[in-house]
Amino acid sequence: EEFIAVVPAAGIGSRMAADRPKQYLHIEGKTILEHTVDRLLDLPEITRVVIAISADDPYFSQLTLATDPRITVVNGGAERADSVFAGLAAINNDNAWVLVHDAARPCVRRADLRALITSAVNSDCGAILAAPVRDTMKRGHQQSAQAHISHTVERDNLWHALTPQMFRAGQLRQSLTTALAQGATITDEASALEFCGYTPLLVAGRSDNFKVTQPEDLALAAFYLQLLIK
Ligand code: CTP
Ligand code: MG
């Protein structure tokens, strides 16, 4: 089997509101993107990483990653799904397993990657890392410019979708094509497969594999990365 990581890294990081896209902020001596790619290449079975970057990205070429023979760079698109699609276009083996992993999740652990790979290769159509929801969940509604509780959402069997999300390259490409052509809202890879009637597996992963999104997330990522790097 061939295992290829696809890393969407073409976002602008509007919620982080830093002087550059968040994947290029430095934590513990390296950019977030470099940490993320290092985590993936830490697994010997992952032999290649396809990174989707913005067409006018001035940062990537400065990194030592740019000359790593295991890395392929492609231009991403306007939405995350477009960037993933561009990454898939660089993979010609439809049978390859792709692990799509957000550039902004540098704290993913080897054990979770291994658990995902083991589950996915033994599944019908693939698997994603996910974390069971801990908090009581409320459905809200807006009323007089305030949010009111409408009701409590049953928490059993509710999960946070994380990444990596792992599918066969051809099946993911086909599902994204179908879902996007029919105007489905696609916020992760699994939703494209769901749209096409597949039922990917949920693999319980650690909640420290969170997506660095807002300024206060940087200190938390630094804390987890210190634990990981030793
Ligand atoms: N991403 C991408 N192409 C896009 C949008 C997002 O490759 N057009 C990537 C981001 O770089 C990130 C991942 O998808 O690694 C998850 O997206 P998100 O956390 O939303 O990042 P941004 O879109 O950059 O942040 P924001 O939504 O706050 O602007
Ligand atoms: Mg975004």
Side-chain angles (χ1 to χ4, degrees):
E1 300 268 29
E2 186 179 15
F3 300 92
I4 303 172
V6 170
V7 177
I12 58 172
S14 55
R15 285 168 288 182
M16 184 63 73
D19 67 344
R20 65 193 67 193
K22 61 189 178 182
Q23 58 273 27
Y24 295 114
L25 295 175
H26 282 76
I27 300 181
E28 296 297 308
K30 278 189 296 202
T31 62
I32 289 177
L33 175 62
E34 291 174 291
H35 282 291
T36 301
V37 173
D38 285 354
R39 306 304 311 163
L40 295 165
L41 286 174
D42 182 44
L43 268 73
E45 51 270 66
I46 298 180
T47 50
R48 204 181 150 204
V49 180
V50 180
I51 305 176
I53 64 172
S54 167
D56 57 6
D57 181 325
Y59 304 103
F60 185 80
S61 61
Q62 310 295 311
L63 307 178
T64 49
L65 283 183
T67 57
D68 188 318
R70 296 168 296 181
I71 288 171
T72 306
V73 186
V74 300
N75 284 333
E79 303 290 336
R80 184 182 173 285
D82 303 315
S83 298
V84 171
F85 202 75
L88 291 172
I91 298 171
N92 41 36
N93 174 10
D94 275 1
N95 204 38
W97 285 105
V98 295
L99 294 89
V100 180
H101 185 61
D102 291 324
R105 293 185 194 268
C107 304
V108 65
R109 296 213 173 218
R110 186 190 297 138
D112 275 7
L113 294 171
R114 290 220 177 284
L116 175 69
I117 289 173
T118 302
S119 293
V121 297
N122 291 300
S123 73
D124 300 335
C125 68
I128 74 169
L129 284 181
V133 166
R134 303 172 178 185
D135 298 314
T136 299
M137 304 298 281
K138 304 294 187 189
R139 168 73 62 193
H141 69 272
Q142 291 293 326
Q143 190 182 306
S144 320
Q146 286 186 306
H148 290 254
I149 294 173
S150 171
H151 60 273
T152 300
V153 178
E154 178 70 67
R155 189 181 53 197
D156 286 358
N157 265 315
L158 213 49
W159 302 69
H160 296 278
L162 310 175
T163 74
Q165 303 201 354
M166 183 169 160
F167 304 102
R168 299 273 190 196
Q171 188 170 40
L172 177 55
R173 189 185 300 114
Q174 190 58 59
S175 298
L176 280 170
T177 303
T178 303
L180 292 173
Q182 298 189 34
T185 305
I186 298 302
T187 54
D188 68 351
E189 290 58 61
S191 47
L193 275 93
E194 294 156 34
F195 183 84
C196 295
Y198 300 108
T199 52
L201 284 179
L202 290 160
V203 178
R206 296 169 56 107
S207 55
D208 52 10
N209 175 21
F210 71 101
K211 188 161 60 108
V212 176
T213 304
Q214 303 181 133
E216 61 266 35
D217 295 339
L218 294 171
L220 195 56
F223 176 80
Y224 288 131
L225 287 170
Q226 280 165 26
L227 297 177
L228 276 170
I229 289 164
K230 284 188 299 251

